[in-house]
Structure formats: structure tokens, C-alpha cells
Amino acid sequence: MSAGQQLYDFAALIYPICRSITGNGVRETLRLVGQRIPLQVREVPTGSRAFDWEVPLEWNIEDAYVMDPQGRRVVDFQEHNLHIVSYSEPVSVSMPREELVARLHALPEHPDWIPYRTSYYRRSWGFCMRQRDLERLPAGSYRVEIKSRLERGSLTYAEAVIPGRTRDEVLFFAHVCHPSLANDNTSGVSIATALARWVAGEPRRYTYRFVFAPGTIGSLCWLARNESRLKRVRHGMVLALLGDPGPLTYKMSRRESSEIDAVAQYVLSAMDPRAQVIGFSPYGYDERQLCSPGFDLPVGRLTRSVNGGYSQYHSSADDLSLIRPEFLAQSYEACQRIISILETDGRYVNLSPKGEPLLGKRGLYGSVGGRSPAEREHALLWVLNQSDGSRSLLDIARRSGIDFQRVCEAASALQNAGLLAPQGRKRDASSKGGAQRATGVRKLQSKRGGR
Amino acid sequence: MSAGQQLYDFAALIYPICRSITGNGVRETLRLVGQRIPLQVREVPTGSRAFDWEVPLEWNIEDAYVMDPQGRRVVDFQEHNLHIVSYSEPVSVSMPREELVARLHALPEHPDWIPYRTSYYRRSWGFCMRQRDLERLPAGSYRVEIKSRLERGSLTYAEAVIPGRTRDEVLFFAHVCHPSLANDNTSGVSIATALARWVAGEPRRYTYRFVFAPGTIGSLCWLARNESRLKRVRHGMVLALLGDPGPLTYKMSRRESSEIDAVAQYVLSAMDPRAQVIGFSPYGYDERQLCSPGFDLPVGRLTRSVNGGYSQYHSSADDLSLIRPEFLAQSYEACQRIISILETDGRYVNLSPKGEPLLGKRGLYGSVGGRSPAEREHALLWVLNQSDGSRSLLDIARRSGIDFQRVCEAASALQNAGLLAPQGRKRDASSKGGAQRATGVRKLQSKRGGR
Amino acid sequence: MSAGQQLYDFAALIYPICRSITGNGVRETLRLVGQRIPLQVREVPTGSRAFDWEVPLEWNIEDAYVMDPQGRRVVDFQEHNLHIVSYSEPVSVSMPREELVARLHALPEHPDWIPYRTSYYRRSWGFCMRQRDLERLPAGSYRVEIKSRLERGSLTYAEAVIPGRTRDEVLFFAHVCHPSLANDNTSGVSIATALARWVAGEPRRYTYRFVFAPGTIGSLCWLARNESRLKRVRHGMVLALLGDPGPLTYKMSRRESSEIDAVAQYVLSAMDPRAQVIGFSPYGYDERQLCSPGFDLPVGRLTRSVNGGYSQYHSSADDLSLIRPEFLAQSYEACQRIISILETDGRYVNLSPKGEPLLGKRGLYGSVGGRSPAEREHALLWVLNQSDGSRSLLDIARRSGIDFQRVCEAASALQNAGLLAPQGRKRDASSKGGAQRATGVRKLQSKRGGR
């Protein structure tokens, strides 16, 4: 089965669950994620502080409906999760149509779609319905039943941590608080899950942390509980809206000059001429919190269409027909490529910086002169020339126009030939008294044969 | 009466006066200005030093004419102020046409216009006339009479100072040395006068200083007498050429990165798609002196057409038909808008920088989620996210694309909610031991209710 | 005779010589250069170290040919220098056509051209020939004779040093290692020779060093023997490919912000709208070594077409019909103009920085006001306004759009009037206690007369 189909299938599996920012829908979703990757689930009790916020009462719902004067269920939670305004309080009441209408949300411009509405932080209730159904409601008295519970409980989030050679972290965030919306949370959850599984099988320098949390309050809880660890976050991305037909879109971190910004820009432009990179803005998903000025993490966001950028956004039309395996697969590949560059990019130092070293003698350069060198040979010259510790391999790839992969291969060949060292390692060596560095140089000199 | 008409009428009132860099024309002009705003008139005696310059003899003129062989006044100062070369010395002489012609200035490409010429710093005399009249002069002997006086006296300039809450100053400069040229000095004098009256009725942080002075030597005298006070000048503009049909044009200060440069650019682009911002250059009006490298004041220049940029420039065709109330009104409005932004712009610090504060609880954010936030709500998020002390409200307006006024309203609402503080004020607080700041934070926490 | 024709004639004179990276061809070329300019010839013995490289055995060749089964010389070194792969070892052998073919190089896409091939650093042999001749070789046994010598000897390079008022150097590099290729080395050698002769007759601040050396190993030898002197190199250019019809092309130094980069860009854009400036890249001519990270010299490269950028490159079609006197002349003029700007550019300090000084009194400005100033007067204002020590005359020319020459004339006039001083000289003065500076100011004041 293709990667895209697998991503789609998991999105489809969790699509029907009625999620909110707290409650059993989130727990069930995380249980299914946890069947695929090792997951630590956290419960944060109602009333816990998270900076300016606190965890609200836990919300769960069994049933909800509106019954018309003829006894027909004209709005029915059993038919679609979106029919109920999320966090609606329990209600059992009768009221005339005129009074009821103030509690009903619809989309006049899309009469067949049910909108998605919430009232997390003000106790209230309401229903969402199709405009065409709303207009047909007969006059008379209506019965409203909402069998929900708002009780002390907890907010649930989860983390998958895949340790690497270092404690430096790459952070991925996916929100898990939306009920039956396919692009707007199941696509991100599915791709984050698959990435965690893939990265666990790859050699890696970084530790990878995948957080599955309700939007806003969930990321604030995570931030509050991990504040001392944030300095380890070297790069990150919020993952959302990754299955629709829109072009790949990377939204920059608040700094707009983080390494992840450069890497994502490079990968997207190589993958798709339609791809776009957009500036940071303080609205969107959990980058709102991660990039607030008090944290300012180097975290961007990958989407296809942006939030609010497609007509089906936050409505029942954001269903499983909107997302497609091939788009999920391309989004997933973009993440993989970004990770690959983050893992391999680095700054190097030319250990033979005075003039070019003699590459032919080391088998790195063709012996017949007069012809144009191959791109492989150009890559060697670029890496040697630019590696003064100030420019990364990605910088060199972008400046030279040579593919990053080929630049990496050149750096690797030069390292094997003793001509190049990672900037950090060299610094380590010299801090140990320069002994290793001196040895390295001597080794180089002994290689210079009689040609 | 419209603002434009009032501006026009005052320009028309002072248009007929024969001004020069010294003399009674300047004094009469300043007397009329002084009827409208409180004005301090300064007299700088002949021979006073102003850096590399000194105040010349004072020049006044009663009459001047050229009489042809038939006894007709073919050039007559009584007919138009521009007929006499400004600062012409007294003359009473007869000479043949051939000799006279060397003293006559005309515009062959505009045969019906009288040019404007001066000889301030070399003792000389001459007349300006229409080319078509020049060509008709018959041969023979001409009588030349110039009843002028070049005597020890003084140079006159004036200031209107409107004190603000602080001693930091905003400086406006208008030149008052041109005789009957409408766009090229009466427009600037009229707008500066109206601005001084308007700003006196507005709440204001800055002290406003309006200087009405002869060009070059007048601004040099002002600079020489105010050198120790220049450090208070935070922003400024030279006002000139503000009534013609050309597009609003802002010329940047020498630094090209002053706050006034950013503000003027923002205002002009919002007011008129034809508006233009041009780079600094060392020729023009008194920005030549104010932006000389020894002062380098943050002073730009507002004009419509630029000096030399319209065919009527420095000729009798720069008359009251060239300027129009609606253009004066738009120029005036640009100045007002620039002042408004200077007054309200500033850098702020988010007092709750870790994650977003809970805006809904403070009545700043709608309680129903799922819908796109209103622009008002976006403005709140932008101000919170960007206010780390490094970016001004204008920076935020430009980056977000949200109107400056709305950004200011957001900042104000956030200040009222205790979420934002002016950068300076916060610094003051912490320098007093941080007590107020700590209180502010405590107040915030006590606001967090049980939700 | 025109400059272009002289340049062409010298290129034609050295075109027939069979040069390589060592040997008598280089010596004969340098002997002819030495007849025109004072030249110090250096011999670097075989086996000498130059960083990672060492000088190879010296190569000389008397004859070489391939004889077909019928005894015809089907490839003959006597017919064209390019027929032999440079550095081919001595051979005297017979072999069947099938075996021989592996030693033959041709250009299928240009069947009438002989390619240029070398094997400097791997002992080998081979022939280059026209593709159309290669295809006609009959089957059978071939006789191969190469009468070459690979012996201990030396590498030869030469320098012409033209001392200036200071020891700061401008460095020009031309490669002299290519056999009969007209654009690709005789053009550069000819222009470098002519420049050295011209610059010796000009007043000059800088010392000029012209190096004529074999590519790569020659510049490495020069670098190794001059390492301690490199800090004196203030500017430089590699000269090559200067006679073909392509547009003037400047390749930036590795820093891409050296003064030579700005100067060359200015000169080229003024000379030819087709001219181009390209970014640094680590492949090309001796800028590869001069701009390696261990040296990073402020050295760019001037060419017309770039290496590999014209179809005749590295083939027998790069002959005397490819280069033309007018193109050589234009390239030469570009070098002269660049030198002129390097010699005259500098940063100055306005000694009367508060307001404009009174230029009219010093005879620098017209006395009749009201007219637009001449460009000469604008240049004075620009130099005065911008000369705060941070901007060079070239910066001022670029910012003002006024020709560099006119800006220099303005600076010179202002210096003569005591209004401007070179930045360095002023600094010297103030370090001597400020006495001279104070005197300068006093002198200025005493000039202010009674006007």
C-alpha cells in the first residue's frame, strides 16, 4: 500500500471521533496514535495553571438534538459531530422557534454545509446546521436536549520522543482538538504519526519530539510543563492542513531567519514550483503560542492551504473527500526531506585552505585537463572554497545552485580525504590542546606524494 | 469656509509682498503670520556670523524702472515684484541698449513669463522681463533708475513654539524670502501657519517649533542661535511647494532611515497612489543646511512638485492660478496625519509574553470560536506578538497590513487591560526597583478568574 | 597604430609558441614580454613545495606524430600545437587502430576543431585531432612517436613591479600556460603587458604588480613565495579571455564587497550596457587560488566571454580570428579606467560641516541666484554633504548619479579651497594633537571677508 494511502487510512480512522479540547474524544484519538508509535499520554487536571490560562472543566457529550413541533429530530448530534457547538452545557428545555434561532449557527453562503463552532471559555450552548434546513423550520415550540457533562477532569495531550545522538531537539506539533474535520486535524495527526515511526528507523543526530495536543490550551500546557527544556529546541514545525489540493505552504517562524525557515524554503522550492513561503503572522495554529515573544521558538508551520484559506474550512465540507492520498504523500515527503537536511547540514572548515588542495592525487578529480569539470567536481570546489566555518552546506547549495545532496556527498568525500572537518569537531579538538588538529594536518602532509 | 480655501486666502494675502532675504517685505509677512499664531520675531544684525556666513546688508526697495528712448517705462517694478533682480544696488544711469541688455534676464523658452533672479552675495543690479518685451526694445539710450537701499540693518526670522508634554521637538521650516511666487513660498508659509494653529489645540507629547525664515542665511542664523538645542529635535520637515497639482512628494532626511522618513512614507502611500518618496539630495530648500553633515537632523521635506520640477518654477507664472485650495488642503492633511502618527507611535512591551493572554476573559475577543477573527482581533494578536520593545506600532502596522489607527486602538485596549506597557515607562518602573512592574503582574494574576 | 592593433599584434606574436605549465614555451613567451616591460623571471625547481602541491618535472617537446598503415602522418604536432596532449610522455610504439583510438581526443559536435587536452599530474600520453580525421582512420597498425622530455628542471614565472608612492599593491594576474589559444591566454598576456607599460608612465599611489605565471601551479608557487607580502594587496584582477566579441564581464572577488568589485561594476556599467557583473564561483582561472579561503584576496576577474562560455573555448577555433583589436582595446580601456578610479577614490571629510560653506565667495558657485545650478555646482554640494568620512567619492558618484570624474574635480576644488581634507590626513593631524586641524579651521575663518 502506498505511503499516501496509509496516511489517508489513518486519517479516515480517526475522522469520526468527536474531539474537543478535553474529553474522551482526544483520549480515543491518542490511543489509536499510541498503537502506532510509543506515546506518553499526559493528563493535566482541571484548574491547572498555564501562564495566563487555566485548564477548563472536562467536556463530554453523549447525545444532543433539537425536536420540532412535529417531534422530528431536525438537528441531531448522532448524524454529525459538528451539529453541536463544542463545549455546549447540558440543556433540557422547550422554546419557541423565535427564541431557538439565536442558538443556531449556519452558513448562508454554503447552505448545504454545517459550520464548526465552539464556546470553550464562555458557558453557553448552541447547534450548527445547514442553512437550507434552518430555513425550513416550522413555527412552534421546539424541544432541546443536550446530554453533555462539564465536570472537573483533565486535559489530555501526548508526546512521542525519539532520542537521537544529542539532546538537541526537533519539535513537531499537531493539534487533536477538532471533531470530524479531515484536513483540519486528521491530516496533521496522521502525518506526525507516520513521521515519528519513520524517524525512529533513521540514523539521527537530533532528538525528535512529536506533541499531539489540543490547540492553544494544549500547547500552553505543554509549554508550561517544558519551559526549562525549551532551550533544547533547535528547529520545529507545526503540522496541519496537509491533505488538500492547495500548494505546499511554509509559514516562517517569528524570527523569519531560523535555519528551519531556510531549509523549508529550499525543500519546497525544489519539490513544487507552486509551493509558497509566507511571512510570520500571529494568527493560525500553535505557532501562536510557540512563537509568542516570551518563547520565540525557531518553529515554522507546514500546511497546504492555510487556515481560512479554503472555502470548506471549519465546516462539514472539510471531510474525507477533501483530502487525498497523493497530497498527504507529498506533504509527508516534504517533512522527510526537511528532516534529512536538518540532519546533514552543518558548517565545515577546509583543513587545506591555502590554494586548492590537489584533488586528482586523492582520486577526487579527473586527470585529463582542458575539459569542463563534472558537477561533482564543481561541488568539491564549492565546498572547499566556502568552508571557512561561516557557511553551511545548505548555504553552499543555495549559492552554487548545486543540489544539496551532491554538496553533502562532496563534503563527505572531502572529509574522508582529510581535507574537511566539521566546524564543531575542529573546535573541540583545538580546545583539547590542538593535538588532534595537528595530527590531522600531519596526516595530510604525509599524503602528499611525489607527483 | 473649507480648510483649503482658508489656506489659499492666506497665501493670496501675502503673495503681493516684495520679500527678499532681508528687509521690510519679510517683516510685513511675519506680521500677518503673527496675527494668526503667537510668533516671536528675531532680528539678526548685519555682520552677525552664522558659521561660514555672515548676515549681509539689509535691502529695501521703493521703485525701479527702465525707460526707453521714447520715455516709456518698458520695465517697471511697480508692475511686478519680479522685474527687479533681488538685492539690486541703487542705480541712476543712462546707457545704450547694447550695454543695458547684459543686465536684462528673460526666458526665451517662455516668452511671456518674467524670471526670478537674485544677487544676494555679489553687489550688482539687473532687471527681469518677458522675452517678448525684451525683443521689442528699440535702439537708443535708456534711463535706469533703482531706488533701493543697501544699509546696515538686520535679517528677520520668526518662530512659533507650541510647548508639549516633553521638550522633545518637532521642527517645521518654511522659507519667507521669495517675492511674488505663490507655490514657492506662500503655500508653505500658509500651511505652516495653519498647522501651528491646529497643533496648539491638540493634545501633544512633543513641543512644536515652526520657523519662518529666509532661505539659507535665515536657517543658518537659526541654526547658529539654536545649536545647543538641536539635540532635542526628534523629527522635522521643511514645507514648500505645497499648492500645485503635482503629486505629494516626500524627500527623505539625509539618514534616509529616520522615523519621520518611515512615517511620511506610510502616510503618503495611504493618501495617494501617485505620491512619491525620493532619496535625499543636498540641493533644495533649507534641508541643505539642516541636513548638512555637521547637524544631520532627522528632517525631511514635503513638497508636491519638487524645486525645478515644474515649468513655472522661479517665474511669474508661479502665481495664484498655479495653486489650488484642494491641493493645499491635501498637503495640509498629510502634515496632520504625519503629526498624528508621530504623536501616537511608540514601542511597547507585552507584559504577558509567554503564550497569548486570554483575551476573551478580558472582553477583548469574541467568545464563539471557529469563526475567523475580526481585524480588530488580529490587531490585538499582532501587537501582543510583536511588542518586545524592538518594533513600533508603525512597524507593526506596516508588517501586518492593518491600518495604523486600528493598531493604535489595539495597543490602547491592551494597555487598559494591563497587558501592554510603553517601553520607556516599563524601563522607568524597573529602574525604581521593579515595584510597579511587579504590582502590574500581580494585578494581572488576580484578574484570572475561575474558568 | 591603434592601441587595439598593438594589443592584437603582440597576441599574434606569442600565439604560435607551444606553452605548457613548464618548459621553454613559457620562457620564450616571458622573453618577449620582457622586451616590452622590466620583468623579473623566476625559476622554481622541480619538487619545490607550494602548499598541497609540488612543482612537477619540466616538460619539453620536439616532435610528435601518428603514422597510419600507409605511412602518412595523420596527426602531426608540427601542424598544430594542440595535436599533442600537453605533458605527454615520450613514446615510440606501434599499435592497432583499435588500441590507438583510446588515446585520441576529438569533438564530435565540432568535427573541424582540434580540442585542447592536458595530463599534467598523471603520467600519460595522447593526441587531439579533428573528429572528421578521426573517422577516416583506416584499420591496421599505427606508428606513434612522441619526442618529449619529462625531466627535473623548473617552473618559470615572471613579475613586473611598478613601484608607487605607497607599498600598497594592485595585483594583476595573467596565465601563460596555454599553447596556441588566442583568447585564452594571449589576450590576457598582451593586455597585462600593455597595462604595465602604461601605468609606469602615470602618477600613482599604489605599487602595481603584474604576474605572468602558469595557471594553478604557477599562482600557487607565487603565493607560496609571497605569502608574507599578501597583506599589502589592496585590489587585484585576473585578466583572461579579453579579445572575443562577448560583453565585458567582471566576476566578483570571493568577498563580493571588495572595493575592486564596486569600482569594476561602476566602470563596466558606464562603458557598455551589455556588460555584466557575475558572482564569485570557485572555478575559473587563478582567482581559484587567490580567493581560496586561506588567502581570500580582494581580487576579481575581468573577461569578456567566461571560461567555457563560448563554443571555441579550449579548441583550435580559439585562434587569431576569434579576437579583434577593437575588443582588446575596450578591455584594455576598462582596466585603465578601473585603475584611474582606484588611484583617485578615497574618503574625505568636510572641514566646514555645519551648514553649507559660502561657495560663491570662493569662486566656486555662480553669483546669480534663482537659476538651476550647473552639474558642477551639484557635485560640490554632494561632496560637501556626504563627506563625513564614511563615504568614498565613488559612493558619492553612485548615489548622486554624477560622473565619478566630475565628483573628483569637485573634491579637488574643495580641497584647494580648504574646505575638504582626505580622511586619513585629518586623522593623522588630530593624532598629532589637532594642531594642523585647528590651523586649517583658522585659515578658513580668516578667509571670510566683509560681504
Side-chain angles (χ1 to χ4, degrees), chain C residues 52-365:
Chain C
D52 193 44
W53 301 57
E54 65 181 43
V55 174
L57 296 175
E58 182 177 328
W59 183 71
N60 285 288
I61 183 163
E62 281 161 43
D63 196 11
Y65 60 84
V66 175
M67 197 173 279
D68 77 0
Q70 283 74 41
R72 290 173 303 198
R73 288 192 170 198
V74 290
V75 191
D76 187 353
F77 171 69
Q78 304 299 338
E79 187 234 332
H80 204 296
N81 285 326
L82 293 183
H83 276 311
I84 190 73
V85 169
S86 193
Y87 258 72
S88 282
E89 61 190 339
V91 167
S92 179
V93 70
S94 291
M95 57 177 63
R97 185 184 63 176
E98 291 62 36
E99 193 179 329
L100 173 67
V101 161
R103 299 287 189 161
L104 302 179
H105 303 269
L107 297 168
E109 66 277 24
H110 294 293
D112 290 326
W113 299 352
I114 309 163
Y116 164 57
R117 294 290 177 265
T118 69
S119 187
Y120 302 137
Y121 299 104
R122 201 172 63 116
R123 201 158 173 136
S124 180
W125 63 268
F127 287 87
C128 301
M129 63 189 300
R130 298 175 183 86
Q131 175 73 14
R132 89 181 134 98
D133 294 337
L134 177 61
E135 289 166 0
R136 285 185 202 138
L137 294 182
S141 177
Y142 283 76
R143 179 85 207 140
V144 176
E145 288 287 344
I146 301 180
K147 290 175 179 163
S148 66
R149 279 168 290 127
L150 275 166
E151 301 165 330
R152 296 192 64 80
S154 59
L155 173 147
T156 315
Y157 73 81
E159 292 180 286
V161 180
I162 321 289
R165 291 198 309 277
T166 70
R167 302 175 80 187
D168 290 343
E169 290 191 5
V170 183
L171 179 67
F172 289 93
F173 242 88
H175 64 284
V176 292
C177 54
H178 286 28
S180 300
L181 295 170
N183 198 36
D184 189 1
N185 81 338
T186 72
S187 70
V189 173
S190 180
I191 284 181
T193 304
L195 267 186
R197 191 145 63 172
W198 171 74
V199 87
E202 296 288 308
R204 61 195 172 274
R205 160 167 56 152
Y206 290 112
T207 292
Y208 287 79
R209 184 176 300 268
F210 295 82
V211 181
F212 301 85
T216 305
I217 182 68
S219 54
L220 289 165
C221 286
W222 181 86
L223 282 162
R225 297 187 160 210
N226 290 275
E227 203 172 345
S228 66
R229 191 189 291 153
L230 295 179
K231 62 183 176 301
R232 291 191 203 152
V233 176
R234 289 288 175 273
H235 321 281
M237 287 202 297
V238 171
L239 301 177
L241 308 180
L242 290 167
D244 68 278
L248 282 168
T249 302
Y250 177 76
K251 171 180 164 178
M252 285 197 277
S253 73
R254 182 175 181 272
R255 308 169 186 185
E256 296 196 347
S257 59
S258 305
E259 190 178 339
I260 184 76
D261 298 329
V263 171
Q265 181 150 22
Y266 182 79
V267 166
L268 262 61
S269 69
M271 281 183 76
D272 186 353
R274 292 190 312 148
Q276 51 185 357
V277 173
I278 59 178
F280 177 77
S281 63
Y283 185 66
Y285 292 104
D286 286 312
E287 71 274 16
R288 292 167 66 161
Q289 314 309 325
L290 301 168
C291 296
S292 60
F295 302 123
D296 199 17
L297 294 180
V299 171
R301 190 189 77 188
L302 190 70
T303 62
R304 300 188 68 91
S305 291
V306 299
N307 46 310
Y310 56 105
S311 60
Q312 305 94 330
Y313 182 74
H314 277 190
S315 84
S316 57
D318 183 352
D319 63 15
L320 291 169
S321 72
L322 176 66
I323 66 174
R324 291 227 298 269
E326 62 267 34
F327 302 132
L328 290 164
Q330 191 198 32
S331 304
Y332 178 60
E333 187 191 340
C335 294
Q336 289 177 306
R337 288 207 202 183
I338 288 167
I339 288 173
S340 292
I341 294 189
L342 291 173
E343 283 289 335
T344 48
D345 194 21
R347 289 183 172 77
Y348 289 81
V349 178
N350 179 342
L351 299 176
S352 180
K354 295 186 176 179
E356 292 171 10
L358 187 45
L359 297 173
K361 182 170 60 177
R362 297 174 174 91
L364 295 171
Y365 211 82

Side-chain angles (χ1 to χ4, degrees), chain B residues 170-449:
Chain B
V170 182
L171 179 66
F172 288 92
F173 242 88
H175 63 284
V176 291
C177 53
H178 286 29
S180 300
L181 294 170
N183 199 36
D184 189 0
N185 80 340
T186 72
S187 70
V189 172
S190 180
I191 284 181
T193 304
L195 268 185
R197 192 145 63 172
W198 170 74
V199 87
E202 296 288 308
R204 60 195 173 274
R205 159 166 56 151
Y206 290 112
T207 291
Y208 287 79
R209 185 177 299 267
F210 294 82
V211 182
F212 301 84
T216 305
I217 182 68
S219 55
L220 288 166
C221 286
W222 181 86
L223 284 162
R225 297 187 159 211
N226 290 275
E227 202 172 346
S228 66
R229 191 190 291 151
L230 296 180
K231 62 184 177 300
R232 293 192 202 151
V233 176
R234 289 288 176 275
H235 322 282
M237 285 202 298
V238 171
L239 300 178
L241 309 180
L242 290 166
D244 68 279
L248 282 168
T249 302
Y250 177 77
K251 172 179 163 179
M252 285 196 276
S253 73
R254 182 175 181 272
R255 309 170 185 184
E256 296 195 347
S257 59
S258 304
E259 189 178 340
I260 185 75
D261 299 328
V263 171
Q265 182 150 23
Y266 182 79
V267 166
L268 263 61
S269 69
M271 282 183 75
D272 186 353
R274 291 191 312 147
Q276 50 185 357
V277 173
I278 59 178
F280 177 77
S281 63
Y283 186 65
Y285 292 105
D286 286 313
E287 71 274 16
R288 291 166 68 161
Q289 314 310 326
L290 302 168
C291 296
S292 60
F295 302 122
D296 198 19
L297 294 179
V299 170
R301 190 188 77 188
L302 190 69
T303 63
R304 300 187 69 91
S305 290
V306 299
N307 47 309
Y310 57 105
S311 60
Q312 304 94 329
Y313 182 73
H314 277 190
S315 84
S316 57
D318 183 352
D319 62 15
L320 291 168
S321 72
L322 176 66
I323 66 174
R324 290 227 299 266
E326 62 266 36
F327 301 132
L328 290 163
Q330 191 198 32
S331 304
Y332 179 60
E333 188 191 340
C335 294
Q336 290 178 307
R337 289 208 201 182
I338 288 167
I339 288 173
S340 293
I341 294 188
L342 291 173
E343 283 288 335
T344 48
D345 194 21
R347 288 183 171 78
Y348 289 81
V349 177
N350 179 340
L351 299 175
S352 180
K354 295 184 176 180
E356 292 172 10
L358 188 45
L359 297 174
K361 182 170 58 176
R362 297 175 174 90
L364 295 172
Y365 212 82
S367 63
V368 176
R371 286 190 289 222
S372 278
E375 194 187 51
R376 196 185 58 73
E377 292 164 334
H378 276 290
L380 294 166
L381 297 180
W382 272 105
V383 171
L384 284 168
N385 185 279
Q386 299 288 298
S387 290
D388 56 11
S390 76
R391 293 176 186 116
S392 71
L393 296 182
L394 182 62
D395 293 335
I396 296 171
R398 294 198 295 177
R399 188 165 179 189
S400 67
I402 298 172
D403 183 69
F404 178 79
Q405 192 50 42
R406 195 177 275 293
V407 171
C408 287
E409 288 161 11
S412 180
L414 291 167
Q415 256 193 291
N416 291 338
L419 292 172
L420 198 72
Q423 187 185 20
R425 212 169 301 169
K426 185 195 166 196
R427 203 186 300 135
D428 293 351
S430 64
S431 69
K432 287 175 194 165
Q436 293 182 342
R437 170 114 168 77
T439 309
V441 170
R442 230 174 282 130
K443 193 172 132 213
L444 262 176
Q445 289 176 338
S446 68
K447 269 193 178 171
R448 285 205 291 253

Side-chain angles (χ1 to χ4, degrees), chain C residues 98 416 421-422 431:
Chain C
E98 291 62 36
N416 292 339
S431 70

Side-chain angles (χ1 to χ4, degrees), chain A residues 140-306:
Chain A
S141 177
Y142 283 75
R143 180 85 207 142
V144 176
E145 288 288 344
I146 301 180
K147 292 177 178 160
S148 66
R149 279 168 289 126
L150 275 166
E151 301 164 330
R152 295 193 64 80
S154 59
L155 173 147
T156 316
Y157 74 82
E159 294 179 285
V161 180
I162 321 290
R165 291 198 310 277
T166 70
R167 303 175 79 188
D168 290 343
E169 290 192 4
V170 183
L171 178 67
F172 288 93
F173 242 87
H175 63 282
V176 291
C177 53
H178 286 28
S180 300
L181 295 169
N183 198 36
D184 188 2
N185 81 340
T186 72
S187 69
V189 173
S190 180
I191 284 180
T193 305
L195 267 186
R197 190 145 63 171
W198 171 74
V199 86
E202 296 287 308
R204 61 195 173 275
R205 158 167 58 151
Y206 290 112
T207 291
Y208 287 79
R209 184 176 301 267
F210 295 82
V211 181
F212 301 84
T216 306
I217 182 67
S219 55
L220 288 166
C221 286
W222 181 85
L223 283 162
R225 298 187 159 210
N226 291 274
E227 202 172 344
S228 65
R229 191 190 290 151
L230 295 180
K231 60 184 178 298
R232 292 190 202 152
V233 176
R234 289 288 176 274
H235 322 282
M237 286 202 299
V238 171
L239 301 177
L241 308 180
L242 290 166
D244 67 280
L248 282 169
T249 301
Y250 176 76
K251 171 180 163 178
M252 285 196 276
S253 73
R254 182 175 181 272
R255 309 171 185 184
E256 297 195 347
S257 59
S258 304
E259 190 178 340
I260 185 75
D261 299 329
V263 171
Q265 182 150 23
Y266 183 79
V267 165
L268 263 61
S269 68
M271 282 183 76
D272 186 353
R274 291 190 314 148
Q276 49 185 358
V277 173
I278 60 178
F280 177 77
S281 62
Y283 185 65
Y285 292 103
D286 286 313
E287 70 274 16
R288 291 165 69 160
Q289 314 309 325
L290 302 169
C291 297
S292 59
F295 302 123
D296 198 19
L297 295 179
V299 170
R301 190 189 78 188
L302 191 69
T303 63
R304 301 188 67 92
S305 291
V306 299

